[in-house]
Amino acid sequence: MSLSAPSLPPEPPPPSSGGALAEPSQRRFHWLPPVGTWKYHLLLSAVALFILGPLGGIAASYMNFSVGFFVGGQVLAGILGSAVTYGYGAEGKHGANYMQTMAASVASLCAMSVLIQSMVWLGMEMPAAWQLMLFVGCVGMFAVGVGMLYTPLLVDKLQLDYPSGLAVANILRALTDKRLLKASISKLGGGTLLGALAAWMTEKVAFVASIGTSAATLGAGMIVGSRITVPAIVMAVIGAVLVPTLREIGWLGPQDPFRKIGFVIGLGMICGAAVVDLSLLAVQAAKRIRERASVKDEGEEESWKKVNIPRLLAWVGVWGGATLVVGTQVLNQPIGWLLFGMLLALLFVLINGISFGITDQNPISSAFVISVLMMSMMGLRVPLVGMMAATILLISTSVGCDMQQDRSTGWRLGTNRVTQFRYQVLGVIMGALLCVGLARVFMTAYPALTINQLDNPNAEVGQWGSAMTYKLVGAIRDLGSLSQAVVNALLLGLAIGFIYELLRKVVRGNARYQRYVKGSRQGFAVGWTVDAILLPSPYASSFGGFVAFPVSLWFGAGGIVTSVWNTFSKRGEPAVSGSPGEGEALPEDMSTMSLMGGGLIAGESLFFLIAGLIGLASLLA
C-alpha cells in the first residue's frame, strides 16, 4: 500500500448507544437477551472466548509455527460473530465488534507461542507453564493499556486509516444482510473442509508430503495476493542460484541452504525499508497533527469515546509493575533489561501503531531487530536475557497495535470504547492461557518444532518451517558477537531495502505513472511487473529469505491463484447493500479468494491440532 498521505476517513454516523436496551422492534428474534443486559454480554463473551477466540488463536499459532506469520482473526471473528448477532438487526454490529475484539486479542497472544519455541531453540530451561502464563498475561495487560493510551492520538486526533479496521467495520455493517452472511460463511466453511482434506493427504499420501504441500501457506498467499507473494518467489529463486557463490565466499557452510544467511539479508531489507517508511511516517504524522489542530472543537466528546485517562495511566503502571515483579521474582530475570524492554514497548507501540494505521503493516520484526542491536550496543551478552526483554516488546507491539486497530473499527461504528476495552482484557486472559498451552501441545505432538533449524539446516521438519522463530533466534543468539559474514549480509540487506523502498516511493508517487497503470490493461500489466518483479516491496521479498524454498513456492502460488481468479472471473462480488446494482463493492477481506484462503488456514491448523491431541492421548493411555 502506498504511503501517500491518506485522506481522512469519514466521520462515523451518529452512534447508537451500543449499551442501551434495544427496542423489541429492533430484534429479529425476541428470545435473544436485550442489548446491554448481563445475559447479552454473557452470550457474546461465551461465544468469543470459547469458540471464536480459540479458533483464531489455533490458526495464528499454527501459522507462526509453519509459515512464520499469521493473519489476524478479525475478519473471521467478524463474520462468525455477525451470525450470532444477526438477530439484533443493525444494532448487532456493536455486539459483533465486541466479539471480534475479544477474539482478535486471543489470536494476537496465541501467535506469540513462537516465543516459547524460541526459548526451546536457545536451550533455555523452561519455567513451569503457570509461570509463563502469568508473565504473558501481565505483559498482555500492560500492552492493552499502552495501546489504549495512544488511541486518542492515533485514532481520534490523527484519524489514521487502519485499512483492516476499516474493512472489518464495513464487514460488520454489511453482514446485517442475511444473504451476504450466508454466502460468506459457506465460503469459509468450504475452504476449511478443503484445508483439512489437504492436511490429511499430507499425512497419508507420500507424494503430497514430498512436494511440501501446505494448505495454510497456499491460503495465506490467496489472502495477500500476487504482488506480495511473487517477490518472495523471486528472492527464493535468486537465493537458490547464488548458493554456490555464497558458499565460496564463506557466507554459507558446505551444506547450508540459502535460508541460513537469507534471513539475515531479509531482516536487513526490512530495516532498510523501515528507515524510509518511518521517515515518511514522521512527516505525515506531523502534517496530520497540523491539520487536526486547525479543526475547531465541535463540542463535548461523545459518551462512547470517553476514557478515564488517570485510571488508564494507573492501569499501565500497575501492570507494568506486575510484569517486573513476575519477571524478576518468578522468572529470575534482571530488572534492568526487563525495564528496558518495557520502555522500548512504550516507543514502538506508538511507532508501529502509526505504521499500522497508514500502511496496514505492523513491523514487529523490525522492532525486534532494532531492540537486539540496541541491547548489544549497551553491553548485553546473554541471549536468554535478551529474549525475555524482547518478549515484552513483541507482545506489546502485537497486542497494543491490535488494540488501536480495533478502536478504529469502533470509531467508525460508534461502539462504546470502555466496553470494548473490557472485552479485550478478557481476551488477553484467555490468550495467555492458550498461548502457553498451544505451544506445549504443538511441540509435544510434533517434535520437529523443537529442532533448532539454524544448527540443523537440513533437518526433516515437514511443514513446520517456523520462519518467525528462525529469524527471532537467528537475530538474538549471536548477541554481541556477530560474525563478519553476518554483518556484511545485514549491511547488504539494509542497502537493498533502503534503495528499493526509496525507488518505490518515487515511482509510485509519480502522478503520470499512476494514471498510466490505472488507465489500461497494458498499464495494469506494467504496474504489476514493477510491483512484483522489478521494484518489489522489501517487506514482501524478505519472506523468501525466511522460509524454505518449497514454502515460498506454495505461498507464491496462492497469490497467483487469487490474481488469476480476479482477472478471469466473470461473476462479480455482491454489493454491500444486497440490492442488485446498488451499494459499494465489498472490501477485499470478504472476496471469494480471501474467504477461501482463510478457510484453508483454519482447516489445516484445526486438523493438525486435533491430530496432535489424539496422538498425545494415545501416548498417555
Side-chain angles (χ1 to χ4, degrees), residues 476-510:
I476 206 167
R477 72 170 186 169
D478 294 326
L479 195 67
S481 58
L482 297 177
S483 68
Q484 189 59 47
V486 171
V487 172
N488 291 339
L490 188 61
L491 291 176
L492 175 63
L494 281 168
I496 294 173
F498 180 86
I499 293 171
Y500 266 64
E501 192 66 17
L502 185 62
L503 291 174
R504 281 173 56 83
K505 294 297 183 290
V506 172
V507 172
R508 292 165 64 88
N510 185 282

Side-chain angles (χ1 to χ4, degrees), residues 44-61 70-81 95-111 399 402 405-406 420 422-432 434:
L44 302 186
S45 298
V47 173
L49 279 178
F50 299 111
I51 300 176
L52 304 185
L55 182 61
I58 291 167
S61 183
F70 71 100
V71 178
Q74 287 91 341
V75 174
L76 173 64
I79 291 172
L80 298 181
N97 192 25
Y98 293 143
M99 285 192 287
Q100 73 86 14
T101 296
M102 183 181 286
S105 299
V106 176
S108 292
L109 269 181
C110 288
V399 174
D402 176 67
Q405 177 175 271
D406 288 337
Q420 203 174 1
R422 292 168 180 163
Y423 272 80
Q424 187 144 27
V425 166
L426 290 175
V428 166
I429 296 173
M430 177 61 82
L434 284 178

